[in-house]
Amino acid sequence: MDENSIKTQKVVTLDQGSNTNSESGISLQYLLAALRRNFRYIMVTFFVIFMTTIVYCIKAPKVYRSSTVILVQPQEVPSDYVRPTVTSDAIARLNTLREQVMSRPRLEKIIIEYNLYRKVRADKTMFDAVERMRKQVAIKINESGGSRRRQDVAPASFEVSFTGADPVKVRDVTATIAKLFIEDNLRLRESQAVSTSKFLERELDGTREELRRKEERVRQFKEEYIGMLPEQMENNYRILTQLQQHLDSLNAIFQQTENRKVLLQVQLGRLETLQAEALEARVSLSSAANGQRPLSLEEFRQELKILKSRYTDRHPNVIILKKTIARLEEKEEGTDPEANVGGHNNASSIRSEAQRLLIVQKEDLIIQLKLIDKEIDKYTDEKGQTSAQIKVYRNRIESGPRIEAMFVDLRRGYEEAQENYQSLLQKKMQAKLAENLERTQKGEQFIVLDPANLSLKPFKPDILKLLIRGFMAALASGLGLGFVKEYFDPTFHTRKDLEHDLHLPVIVSIPVIMTPKRHRLELYKKMGTVTVLALLSLTLLYALLVLLRKNPMLLPFPYPF
């Protein structure tokens, strides 16, 4: 009986044993039989892959990770009292700090201080070590108020982490990087506050100088146009009204003085008339007393002609002679002069006294006229001065709109410069307060919320996950190999497969005849399989013990060995 017939008999025998099960599809007995037939292949594949996973977990370099959480603490003083000058976004500032901390000089200093990447520095360059360290440093921003970040919401905290082979160095490096973030943040905020304060101080000096120039221009303008400024217009109107009233009063007084002068001139004229008449009488009496003949009317007329040739008609002597001639013409019917000599002597004393009184009154009138002339001159000068002042104030009032327009433009520039100066002064004071706030570390600052931890459990590889995945992969690979072997196996194991291929019904099946040699061969195969599986199991168990000894944190309870 050849090999093919033996396989056929095995199929028929198995089929007879499975007739009691379902005839449709793959039965449980078929799966168990297939599993039993391919058990050694499945187990060997499982042990090999799972062992490879364990060996990788043992031999793979351990990477430890240490992290620290830094809290972004708002400023302690309310912003209503002291407004900070550092208004940059916290995330943008973090990016700036990250660039500073991750700069090549900083990382080189840390690498040299903690003696990191010795092999990389020996085989390659420091630049390669710096690039590797940059990849191992991670910064994660923890948002406040939801997962969706907004640009106007400051981060509540951020996490700095570092990975490496030495857990102690990893912890120290993480703490150092966090310290750099805190120090650089304080330095950056203080630098920005000082820069803002210095900038405002420079702007304030320039504005102060400009304000002084404008103040000088305003002062010069006021000195140049004093009395014509807008705020003096009301006073100018009031003074002009007073001057006009004063001028009217002077005109009235001047007119009264002129009237008084005319009255005194009339009185003086009358006194001169009386004096002329008295002179005429004295001349007549004097001529009679001396025995001389009084002057005739014709002689008086001749004398008048002589005086007119010398003086004007307003001369007092001319006026007296005219009046004397007029009276003589009225007395053309003359009387005997001797008959009146006694009367003239009796009245001579009375006439002399009257003449003296006339002279005194005339002198008084002349003095009064002189005083009145002086008053008139004084009033005339005062009127001229008042008129000149009225003209000055009228010119001021007429020039008022033009001066006001010029002064408004000048004052507008001065007020703008003053407002700008006051605004910059206030901002300078606020910037100084903000600078003191940053110097005393009362502003927004970074505080270590969770210090860098010393990790005893490797971050990479994750042994537990690798073991689970390796176990699943080994099991899947063994079962897959068994499936593939079963799929490509040409042996018929069921009656249904044979009938499907031959298209003939199976009438009878012959049981497998096991020879002693065949029986011993099968026994050796089983013993070999058990031995190999036992060795693999022991090897796997030993590898697991070694793995647990190197990684005691894998067990939830203390390692007993």
Side-chain angles (χ1 to χ4, degrees), residues 188-208:
L188 177 62
R189 291 185 63 87
E190 183 177 350
S191 175
Q192 290 181 356
V194 171
S195 299
T196 303
S197 181
K198 289 183 178 179
F199 171 76
L200 291 175
E201 187 173 356
R202 290 194 300 269
E203 292 296 321
L204 187 63
D205 292 338
T207 307
R208 185 186 297 111

Side-chain angles (χ1 to χ4, degrees), residues 458-480:
F459 174 69
K460 289 181 181 179
D462 191 344
I463 297 176
L464 185 60
K465 290 183 179 179
L466 283 177
L467 290 176
I468 295 174
R469 292 175 182 176
F471 178 81
M472 299 298 294
L475 185 60
S477 299
L479 294 176

Side-chain angles (χ1 to χ4, degrees), residues 66-68 70 97 100-102 105-116 133 137 139 158 160-162 167-185 187 448 450-453:
S66 180
S67 62
T68 178
I70 300 177
L97 293 174
Q100 293 179 358
V101 173
M102 301 298 290
R106 293 285 187 87
L107 295 183
E108 285 182 358
K109 185 177 179 181
I110 295 175
I111 291 172
I112 295 174
E113 180 180 358
Y114 293 100
N115 195 18
L116 303 176
M133 186 174 183
V137 176
I139 299 173
F158 63 97
V160 179
S161 61
F162 177 69
V168 177
K169 291 184 178 181
V170 168
R171 179 197 61 187
D172 296 340
V173 170
T174 304
T176 302
I177 294 175
K179 183 179 178 182
L180 291 178
F181 268 99
I182 295 173
E183 292 176 352
D184 287 357
N185 178 64
R187 192 179 300 110
V448 176
D450 187 8
N453 61 314

Side-chain angles (χ1 to χ4, degrees), residues 73-79 82-84 189 437-438 442-444:
Q73 184 180 14
Q75 71 176 37
E76 298 179 6
V77 182
S79 58
V82 179
R83 188 179 300 275
R189 291 185 63 87
L437 185 73
E438 297 299 334
K442 299 296 182 181
E444 181 184 280

Side-chain angles (χ1 to χ4, degrees), residues 68-70 72 94 139-146 154-160:
T68 178
V69 178
I70 300 177
V72 181
L94 278 177
I139 299 173
K140 178 183 178 183
I141 298 176
N142 301 323
E143 305 295 338
S144 59
S157 62
F158 63 97
E159 180 182 355
V160 179

